[in-house]
Amino acid sequence: MSTHLTRRNALLTVAVAPVVGATLTSTTAFAQTDEASMPSQPAAIPAYRRFVIGDLTVTTLLAGTKLLPEPHGTFGLNASDGEFTALSEANFLPTDRALNSFTPVVVETGDAKILFDTGLDAEGLTGAMKAAGVAPQSITHVVITHMHGDHIGGLMGEDGPTFPDATHITGQVEWDYWSQTKNAGFDAKLRPLEDRFQFINPDDEFLPGFKAVNAYGHTPGMLAYWITSGGQQLVLTADTANHYVWSLQRPDWEVRFDMDKEKAKETRDRLLKRVAEARVPFIGYHMPFPGLGFLHPKDEGYEFVPASYQFNLPKDV
């Protein structure tokens, strides 16, 4: 007997997460019971993607999304309206709004399960982790690349620390800066965890194959991570580039959230060139989800080439 898949039946079989709205959305799954009750929402984005790179299992988590109005007020501050519009139209992008995603990454080595960054809040992070089958108590290390709110928000929830048994790692320069600023986010999310933190500097390895890279500029002490495993490499660039067109194709364009704009540009020049020349995959925290891709030199910058099936091929074929 054949099975006829109707639109209603298809809706019954799909978990939708997260829903994209005007404010941050956490990973929420739901099933439709009838077409009349279907909410008027944009297309959904999966909550996680999983890849194998070398001997590592890498899971990117969509901890939330946020609609950004008037993106030229954030990207390309030193570009004219005409330049911004021309580049956007050449890449089929609207100029009146953009979609920002927040993508923590879990890297499993066999002995360790490392979470890089934590999203805006614990609810969004743990929702994505649940969808991916990653339990918070299984995390052995939590790495904070820098201390902007969308990277530290998931460290603490209503019940206290989200990862009470994990070693926490961050850059010494980054900690020293924020610990002296009387910043509310730092005081709420990080200061209570100080005794759990291990502090590192550029070129340090907190685990074999996990090397910190100087990515200063976006914040005073942001660190990227160059990871080597099984003869392959992966780079976690954090917020070195905050948009796959406006920051990669024009790395000299200033970004509102870069605290030291000249140093952030220097970091983009150095780190993006290194990634492109090595032809290695990278994950950018704000790249289009699932965030994994390559850099291809183009004009004065780079074209983002999203990963497709390269890291999902069986090894024994």
Side-chain angles (χ1 to χ4, degrees), residues 37 52 208:
S37 65
V52 175

Side-chain angles (χ1 to χ4, degrees), residues 298-311:
K298 179 181 180 180
D299 301 326
E300 60 262 53
Y302 304 91
E303 180 182 13
F304 178 65
V305 182
S308 56
Y309 54 75
Q310 300 97 318
F311 306 109

Side-chain angles (χ1 to χ4, degrees), residues 49-53 58 60 234 280-284 287-295 303-312:
R49 282 287 304 275
R50 185 163 284 131
F51 312 90
V52 175
I53 298 178
V58 179
T60 59
L234 170 68
V280 295
F282 81 103
I283 296 173
M287 293 298 105
F289 193 77
L292 177 66
F294 300 86
L295 292 177
E303 180 182 13
F304 178 65
V305 182
S308 56
Y309 54 75
Q310 300 97 318
F311 306 109
N312 295 116

Side-chain angles (χ1 to χ4, degrees), residues 189-203:
K189 302 289 185 175
L190 285 146
R191 199 177 295 279
L193 302 172
E194 182 172 4
D195 62 347
R196 304 176 190 270
F197 267 92
Q198 171 186 339
F199 302 104
I200 62 174
N201 293 294
D203 298 323

Side-chain angles (χ1 to χ4, degrees), residues 28-269:
T28 305
F30 65 88
Q32 282 307 126
T33 56
D34 59 67
E35 294 186 46
S37 65
M38 186 173 69
S40 177
Q41 295 285 359
I45 306 173
Y48 75 96
R49 282 287 304 275
R50 185 163 284 131
F51 312 90
V52 175
I53 298 178
D55 297 325
L56 305 173
T57 299
V58 179
T59 304
T60 59
L61 304 167
L62 187 59
T65 60
K66 191 173 185 178
L67 194 65
L68 176 68
E70 303 301 332
H72 193 194
T74 296
F75 299 99
L77 300 185
N78 54 337
S80 69
D81 288 342
E83 290 170 325
F84 188 83
T85 297
L87 183 64
S88 301
E89 290 182 348
N91 288 274
F92 305 95
L93 291 174
T95 58
D96 62 335
R97 54 185 174 167
L99 186 66
N100 198 6
S101 59
F102 308 91
T103 310
V105 180
V106 175
V107 180
E108 299 178 55
T109 69
D111 295 327
K113 189 175 290 187
I114 307 116
L115 171 68
F116 290 85
D117 291 327
T118 66
L120 275 162
D121 56 48
E123 181 183 10
L125 173 63
T126 57
M129 292 178 68
K130 183 177 181 180
V134 179
Q137 59 267 30
S138 71
I139 299 296
T140 60
H141 300 75
V142 177
V143 180
I144 300 299
T145 62
H146 65 289
M147 296 176 185
H148 279 164
D150 56 324
H151 294 256
I152 66 173
L155 281 170
M156 300 279 283
E158 293 182 359
D159 299 324
T162 309
F163 308 98
D165 300 322
T167 297
H168 290 55
I169 297 164
T170 198
Q172 183 72 66
V173 171
E174 187 75 354
W175 181 277
D176 289 347
Y177 173 82
W178 290 101
S179 65
Q180 300 174 38
T181 61
K182 297 183 179 180
N183 177 271
F186 178 91
D187 289 342
K189 302 289 185 175
L190 285 146
R191 199 177 295 279
L193 302 172
E194 182 172 4
D195 62 347
R196 304 176 190 270
F197 267 92
Q198 171 186 339
F199 302 104
I200 62 174
N201 293 294
D203 298 323
D204 288 347
E205 286 193 342
F206 69 88
L207 286 173
F210 289 76
K211 180 176 285 190
V213 177
N214 179 327
Y216 299 172
H218 181 67
T219 62
M222 185 174 78
L223 296 176
Y225 288 87
W226 200 288
I227 302 171
T228 303
S229 171
Q232 296 188 35
Q233 297 175 319
L234 170 68
V235 186
L236 304 183
T237 58
D239 283 13
T240 298
N242 288 82
H243 192 273
Y244 80 107
V245 171
W246 300 318
S247 291
L248 291 180
Q249 292 190 25
R250 298 293 186 272
D252 60 328
W253 279 10
E254 293 180 355
V255 180
R256 175 162 58 101
F257 297 116
D258 287 343
M259 296 174 66
D260 184 330
K261 292 175 174 51
E262 184 57 36
K263 189 170 288 187
K265 178 185 177 298
E266 293 172 1
T267 290
R268 284 192 291 275
D269 290 343

